[in-house]
Amino acid sequence: MTKISAPRPLVAGNWKMNGLASLLAEADKLKQRLADPAVGGKCEVMLCPPATLVGAMAKAAAGSALMVGGQDCHAKASGAHTGDIAAEMLRDAGASAVIVGHSERRADHGEIDAIVRAKAEAAYRAGLMAIVCVGETADERKAGKTLAVVTGQLAGSLPDAATDANTVVAYEPVWAIGTGLTPTVADVAEVHAAVRAALVKRYGDRGQGMRVLYGGSVKPSNARELMSVENVNGALVGGASLKAEDFLGIIGAYA
Ligand code: 13P
């Protein structure tokens, strides 16, 4: 069997519906600190601001180690879809990735797995990396359905064309998002092992190289422990990505 080296970790920040133009100063601070190889040399770093800031952030980050992503895209490339944004538009604005299937979109906009999958395919079509989110609710965990829910979402949300280059999976337990609660290290290890097994079963070596991020109340104080769990290849960070100092504290888990 060929030995495959561990994928390069990714620490991605999801600003959600936060940030006016003034918050771009935080991205600038981050960009400047990432110029020091001792700070961000061991992982990739991305911010996903609201769509209104993607263009300006991408312009400011050009030529730096900071990558920029969108938070959602429509499945189609263009057309009569008022208020929606195509993957091609994000790419045109300078994004290199897009989050799809975040639990807030699944809950607020009724996005089922088939929609998420179509959005991931749209990302590939536009030349973007798709960050595909999965995760169980508190009730699903209590009912012992976590692994079934997560592997079911993966099966339905990931396109057949997923590779380690075009796709990142983010495991975000819904009950851990914005609550300050996190699963135990053993629980994270169990879910990430199940995700890895499902990816390898479906994609072979490509599945071995795909990054699987953990998301949900990641902070500077718990990042090192969570990031050291086997099959955790980085983090998807909400609240703690809004301030450069906090986000740098999480990136520091890979220093
Ligand atoms: P928090 O880090 O604020 O819990 O959010 C996690 C998340 O949903 C990132 O996509």
Side-chain angles (χ1 to χ4, degrees):
M1 210 168 110
T2 40
K3 171 124 176 63
I4 297 158
S5 55
R8 188 170 160 80
L10 169 67
V11 179
N14 173 9
W15 279 10
K16 309 191 179 183
M17 199 172 73
N18 297 292
L20 304 177
S22 54
L23 202 64
L24 290 173
E26 295 299 315
D28 264 334
K29 264 189 238 167
L30 188 60
K31 177 185 91 169
Q32 279 160 27
R33 292 284 296 280
L34 290 177
D36 178 351
V39 174
K42 296 208 180 100
C43 63
E44 292 181 351
V45 178
M46 182 185 295
L47 281 178
C48 301
T52 47
L53 298 182
V54 166
M57 188 186 285
K59 209 168 166 189
S64 80
L66 176 62
M67 299 185 294
V68 178
Q71 297 177 10
D72 175 52
C73 66
H74 196 277
K76 299 231 175 83
S78 64
H81 303 286
T82 302
D84 277 316
I85 293 172
E88 281 78 359
M89 293 168 178
L90 291 170
R91 171 82 188 198
D92 187 48
S96 56
V98 61
I99 298 168
V100 294
H102 192 281
S103 60
E104 287 151 16
R105 297 232 31 116
R106 289 178 187 261
D108 295 353
H109 300 272
E111 293 187 3
I112 56 169
D113 291 337
I115 294 174
V116 177
R117 183 182 179 128
K119 290 181 176 208
E121 281 165 349
Y124 304 164
R125 184 189 65 220
L128 298 178
M129 186 173 79
I131 301 175
V132 181
C133 303
V134 295
E136 83 285 3
T137 63
D139 284 348
E140 288 163 344
R141 177 162 282 272
K142 274 189 215 118
K145 293 185 184 149
T146 297
L147 298 185
V149 167
V150 168
T151 54
Q153 287 177 335
L154 274 182
S157 304
L158 288 181
D160 289 335
T163 69
D164 46 4
N166 68 17
T167 301
V168 170
V169 171
Y171 166 57
E172 299 203 307
V174 177
W175 53 271
I177 294 176
T179 57
L181 303 171
T182 50
T184 64
V185 161
D187 287 342
V188 174
E190 182 188 33
V191 177
H192 278 248
V195 169
R196 179 68 65 207
L199 294 175
V200 170
K201 187 166 180 214
R202 181 163 171 195
Y203 299 107
D205 283 355
R206 285 186 282 152
Q208 193 68 52
M210 257 180 229
R211 289 173 289 189
V212 184
L213 312 185
Y214 168 78
S217 295
V218 179
K219 302 191 171 10
S221 57
N222 61 20
R224 201 172 285 274
E225 185 177 42
L226 289 165
M227 297 306 104
S228 65
V229 176
E230 196 168 357
N231 289 306
V232 174
N233 313 114
L236 184 55
V237 184
S241 70
L242 291 167
K243 280 199 183 137
E245 278 316 312
D246 292 344
F247 199 44
L248 283 160
I250 293 168
I251 292 163
Y254 289 108

